[in-house]
């Protein structure tokens, strides 16, 4: 596949979706894989976390609602080989407005199709908001692969069934028959607690094939980086978090044959 779309989703908030979207994208770009990060969260954390200014009218809101093209919304980032389609608050209106349009589930996919065809990028990473609403559903309908981030904490597995059921619905409804479960990325692992270990063991027990070997540690540096508008590689390239995201990226490149 020339340019797979990876949608990072989990309806649970604060489980490392955006941190993973930013640092996975940046690490792919560092491997000379031209990458596009699409910020689908009205909070715009991926946009600001990369040090990109939010601009009024610059998001996929217009294109998804039938006004303008996605390519007009692409902006450069401070990182070579990494572009972004930013988000801004308008995107939130999609949750209430999009339902009125025919084929509302596949609007995002239709928007991104020309970008995919153009062969400018070798990977598109989509960061979803913490809800299984219109934006995330469109994210799933546009995806080749669903990547789920899971925080190594109590009840981590509870929400997993729900998003996997939604994935099956998107497939069986015909909105995206080809959608594949790309894998589970376990985040915020705390080696000092038994609970983190237990979660990893349990997830690997259920999802042996899908679980990435790399587990992202809980790290203060990872939490700090976005407030400086920097990836972990620019903020602290030798931190445990940077090492983990590099290692995850190697697995992603291998699993999906991105090189
Ligand atoms: N491995 C980590 N170690 C420490 N802090 C982290 C780690 N990963 C993410 N964080 C921090 O935890 C918070 C939530 O992370 P993040 O924004 O990536 O989650 P999210 O799933 O995108 O959240 P939301 O659902 O609100 O979009 C952020 O403040 C982030 O900086
Ligand atoms: Mg987020």
């Amino acid at each position: 596949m020339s340019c797979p779309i990876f949608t990072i989703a989990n309806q649970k908030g604060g489980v490392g979706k955006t941190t993973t979207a930013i640092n996975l994208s940046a690490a792919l770009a560092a491997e000379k894989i031209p990458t596009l990060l699409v910020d689908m969260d009205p909070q715009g954390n991926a946009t600001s976390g990369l040090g990109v200014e939010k601009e009024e009218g610059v998001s996929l809101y217009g294109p998804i609602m039938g006004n303008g093209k996605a390519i007009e919304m692409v902006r450069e980032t401070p990182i070579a080989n990494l572009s972004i389609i930013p988000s801004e608050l308008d995107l939130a209106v999609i949750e209430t407005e999009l339902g009125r349009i025919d084929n509302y589930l596949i609007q995002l996919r239709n928007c991104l199709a020309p970008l995919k065809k153009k062969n400018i990028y070798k990977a598109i990473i989509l960061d979803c908001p913490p809800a299984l609403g219109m934006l995330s559903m469109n994210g799933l309908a546009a995806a080749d692969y669903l990547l789920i981030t899971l925080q190594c904490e109590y009840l981590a597995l509870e929400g997993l069934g729900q998003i996997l059921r939604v994935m099956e619905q998107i497939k069986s409804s015909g909105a995206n028959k080809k959608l594949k479960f790309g894998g589970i990325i376990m985040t915020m692992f705390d080696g000092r607690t038994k609970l983190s270990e237990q979660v990893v063991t349990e997830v690997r027990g259920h999802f042996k094939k899908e679980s990435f070997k790399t587990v992202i540690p809980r790290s203060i540096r990872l939490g700090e980086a976005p407030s400086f508008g920097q990836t972990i590689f620019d903020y602290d390239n030798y931190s445990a978090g940077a090492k983990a995201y590099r290692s995850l990226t190697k697995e992603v490149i291998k699993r999906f044959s991105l090189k």
Side-chain angles (χ1 to χ4, degrees), residues 33-106:
I33 297 169
T35 301
L36 175 68
L37 174 58
V38 181
D39 191 347
M40 287 299 290
D41 186 345
Q43 297 178 99
N45 294 340
T47 304
S48 54
L50 263 180
V52 173
E53 286 285 327
K54 291 180 199 171
E55 289 171 64
E56 211 183 312
V58 181
S59 76
L60 281 181
Y61 171 69
I64 287 176
M65 298 304 293
N67 304 313
K69 295 196 171 80
I71 198 159
E72 293 159 5
M73 301 300 168
V74 175
R75 296 292 179 270
E76 292 315 310
T77 72
I79 294 154
N81 298 318
L82 180 59
S83 302
I84 187 169
I85 296 184
S87 147
E88 47 114 10
L89 223 62
D90 264 5
L91 210 54
V93 183
I94 288 196
E95 295 291 357
T96 51
E97 280 186 359
L98 189 61
R100 299 188 203 127
I101 291 180
D102 281 347
N103 299 322
Y104 58 82
L105 274 181
I106 56 169

Side-chain angles (χ1 to χ4, degrees), residues 10-20 41 43 45 127-130 149 187-189 216-224 226 245:
N10 188 334
Q11 71 279 13
K12 221 172 155 200
V15 295
K17 294 181 288 293
T18 301
T19 304
T20 300
D41 186 345
Q43 297 178 99
N45 294 340
D127 183 31
C128 289
T149 58
T187 67
M188 301 187 216
F189 177 85
I216 310 298
R218 182 175 282 287
S219 126
I220 290 171
R221 308 300 268 168
L222 275 172
E224 287 169 347
Y245 273 110

Side-chain angles (χ1 to χ4, degrees), residues 111-231:
C111 278
L112 294 177
L115 275 174
K116 228 179 135 158
K117 264 198 212 128
K118 271 198 163 55
N119 246 336
I120 318 168
Y121 307 107
K122 290 272 178 268
I124 297 178
I125 312 276
L126 235 137
D127 183 31
C128 289
L132 288 172
M134 285 289 171
L135 290 162
S136 292
M137 298 279 264
N138 264 264
L140 290 177
D144 294 293
Y145 299 103
L146 165 64
L147 297 177
I148 298 175
T149 58
L150 209 70
Q151 189 179 346
C152 296
E153 275 203 354
Y154 186 54
L155 296 180
L157 275 163
E158 232 189 20
L160 200 58
Q162 194 182 348
I163 185 161
L164 291 175
R165 272 194 299 281
V166 170
M167 179 182 81
E168 290 308 326
Q169 282 165 13
I170 294 271
K171 281 166 76 169
S172 59
S173 73
N176 185 1
K177 283 189 191 128
K178 289 185 183 156
L179 176 60
K180 291 190 189 73
F181 184 12
I184 298 178
I185 300 158
M186 287 175 269
T187 67
M188 301 187 216
F189 177 85
D190 186 345
R192 295 166 305 181
T193 69
K194 254 203 177 130
L195 185 60
S196 269
E197 284 289 354
Q198 281 167 358
V199 171
V200 172
T201 307
E202 203 176 346
V203 171
R204 286 191 175 142
H206 283 92
F207 301 95
K208 192 165 186 293
K209 211 175 74 223
E210 292 89 354
S211 307
F212 285 95
K213 287 200 183 72
T214 308
V215 171
I216 310 298
R218 182 175 282 287
S219 126
I220 290 171
R221 308 300 268 168
L222 275 172
E224 287 169 347
S227 53
F228 296 92
Q230 286 183 328
T231 68

